[in-house]
Amino acid sequence: MDILRIGIIGAGTMGGGIAQLAAQNGFSVVLEDINEEYVTAGLKKIQERLENRVHEGKMNVVAMEKILSRIRISTDMEDFKDSDLIIEAVVENDEIKKQVFSKLDKICRKDVIFTSNTSSISITRLAQATVRQDRFAGMHFMNPAFIMKLVEVVRGLRTSQETIDTILSLSGKMGKTPVIVNDSPGFISNRLLMPMINEAVYCLYDGISSIESIDTIMKLGANHPMGPLELADLIGLDVCLYVLETLHKDLGGKYMPCPLLRKMVEGGKLGKKNGEGFYDYRK
């Protein structure tokens, strides 16, 4: 099946980034969210990123306008009726995701492939909200989606090989390196990454060292491009907490979230997206 038209649900950090990626690679995109404010803000951020590339001499205005012309914004899921593949990037909550997919299942053609960008929720469980479990898989993009090369392609219990092959081909056309993983809590990336972030938060919580020192040790000592606390801010502390809670529920005690992480989320410190996390981005 040729994928030409991609529907993306959720115009936030991940959805907007995936929309930009798809449009940059020639795909026609419908970017949808629950209200005009969210979807307009998502498109504005895409435009700002492209304008920055123009100003840096990495892209010309004509190329930018072509990319933007491939993105149509919407607040109505009915606009996905002509899409060939759906990528869901709404809030990391399984009940909300299942409601979205159940509604889409009635709107989209029977041959349309559904994918979720979830970072931790069972693909098999989400697929049960539809009658197309064989055409349901995970496409877990890394943030920012328009830069990072990896896509985790998650095979659910009933995902067909044809669906996997289509997603592998699509990922390649987007310039990504796809890696197939079987459905499991946190897949591979977050099963490895979140314990490291959580342990870094514990190091801070236990008073072992400062935020900057913890990050510097991992950047210079392990050759990481950014420290774990800076990375947590980029991902979103609320997302980190949710993923850890999912891992803890499904895999046991070693994934228990640090009390400091929970306190920060409860206090509204969510990271870079709202200006304050372990670091202050409001300066």
Side-chain angles (χ1 to χ4, degrees), residues 142-162:
M142 305 298 114
N143 185 30
F146 48 88
I147 294 176
M148 300 292 280
K149 286 292 186 182
L150 176 67
V151 175
E152 278 186 306
V153 179
V154 187
R155 188 198 303 269
L157 180 65
R158 299 185 184 278
T159 307
S160 71
Q161 186 59 46
E162 181 181 1

Side-chain angles (χ1 to χ4, degrees), residues 86-136:
I86 300 293
I87 301 173
E88 168 272 313
V90 303
V91 63
E92 194 73 349
N93 179 293
D94 58 352
E95 289 305 317
I96 292 174
K97 288 180 185 290
K98 284 191 284 188
Q99 289 171 16
V100 166
F101 282 120
S102 178
K103 185 173 181 180
L104 280 171
D105 207 32
K106 299 175 178 65
I107 293 170
C108 296
R109 300 189 318 269
K110 298 301 180 185
D111 63 331
V112 174
I113 291 172
F114 286 1
T115 70
S116 175
N117 182 58
T118 179
S119 54
S120 63
I121 298 171
S122 167
I123 292 300
T124 301
R125 190 162 71 240
L126 293 179
Q128 290 175 349
T130 76
V131 295
R132 63 183 82 210
Q133 294 185 45
D134 60 324
R135 293 183 298 285
F136 199 113

Side-chain angles (χ1 to χ4, degrees), residues 165-183:
D165 290 343
T166 299
I167 294 172
L168 292 177
S169 175
L170 173 64
S171 299
K173 290 174 182 176
M174 287 183 169
K176 299 302 179 187
T177 300
V179 176
I180 301 172
V181 299
N182 291 322
D183 192 17

Side-chain angles (χ1 to χ4, degrees), residues 243-271:
V243 173
L244 282 164
E245 286 175 333
T246 300
L247 291 168
H248 182 230
K249 181 180 71 175
D250 292 342
L251 297 176
K254 65 180 180 179
Y255 296 99
M256 181 180 291
C258 177
L260 176 59
L261 178 62
R262 191 178 302 281
K263 181 186 285 187
M264 290 179 72
V265 172
E266 289 172 349
K269 292 188 174 185
L270 306 184

Side-chain angles (χ1 to χ4, degrees), residues 12-224:
T13 300
M14 291 307 302
I18 297 166
Q20 178 180 334
L21 169 71
Q24 284 177 177
N25 287 280
F27 294 94
S28 175
V29 175
V30 175
L31 179 61
E32 189 268 354
D33 213 316
I34 56 175
N35 63 46
E36 196 71 32
E37 178 185 355
Y38 290 168
V39 76
T40 300
L43 182 61
K44 183 180 179 183
K45 287 179 181 177
I46 294 171
Q47 184 169 348
E48 288 172 351
R49 288 193 293 264
L50 295 175
E51 287 174 345
N52 286 338
R53 290 181 62 80
V54 171
H55 293 152
E56 293 166 358
K58 297 177 180 178
M59 176 184 292
N60 60 45
V61 173
V62 173
M64 180 186 73
E65 290 176 347
K66 281 185 179 179
I67 293 167
L68 291 172
S69 72
R70 297 186 189 116
I71 303 173
R72 178 161 64 98
I73 61 174
S74 171
T75 57
D76 186 353
M77 284 191 194
E78 290 288 340
D79 289 332
F80 290 131
K81 63 182 182 297
D82 295 324
S83 296
D84 301 316
L85 179 137
I86 300 293
I87 301 173
E88 168 272 313
V90 303
V91 63
E92 194 73 349
N93 179 293
D94 58 352
E95 289 305 317
I96 292 174
K97 288 180 185 290
K98 284 191 284 188
Q99 289 171 16
V100 166
F101 282 120
S102 178
K103 185 173 181 180
L104 280 171
D105 207 32
K106 299 175 178 65
I107 293 170
C108 296
R109 300 189 318 269
K110 298 301 180 185
D111 63 331
V112 174
I113 291 172
F114 286 1
T115 70
S116 175
N117 182 58
T118 179
S119 54
S120 63
I121 298 171
S122 167
I123 292 300
T124 301
R125 190 162 71 240
L126 293 179
Q128 290 175 349
T130 76
V131 295
R132 63 183 82 210
Q133 294 185 45
D134 60 324
R135 293 183 298 285
F136 199 113
M139 283 189 81
H140 180 211
F141 292 84
M142 305 298 114
N143 185 30
F146 48 88
I147 294 176
M148 300 292 280
K149 286 292 186 182
L150 176 67
V151 175
E152 278 186 306
V153 179
V154 187
R155 188 198 303 269
L157 180 65
R158 299 185 184 278
T159 307
S160 71
Q161 186 59 46
E162 181 181 1
T163 295
I164 293 295
D165 290 343
T166 299
I167 294 172
L168 292 177
S169 175
L170 173 64
S171 299
K173 290 174 182 176
M174 287 183 169
K176 299 302 179 187
T177 300
V179 176
I180 301 172
V181 299
N182 291 322
D183 192 17
S184 180
F187 317 130
I188 295 296
S189 59
N190 279 318
R191 190 162 174 171
L192 296 176
L193 176 63
M194 287 301 158
M196 181 189 72
I197 288 176
N198 198 41
E199 197 59 35
V201 182
Y202 266 115
C203 287
L204 182 64
Y205 180 66
D206 291 339
I208 298 172
S209 197
S210 68
I211 293 169
E212 293 80 4
S213 295
I214 292 166
D215 278 350
T216 297
I217 284 169
M218 292 308 293
K219 285 190 285 187
L220 301 186
N223 202 29
H224 289 191

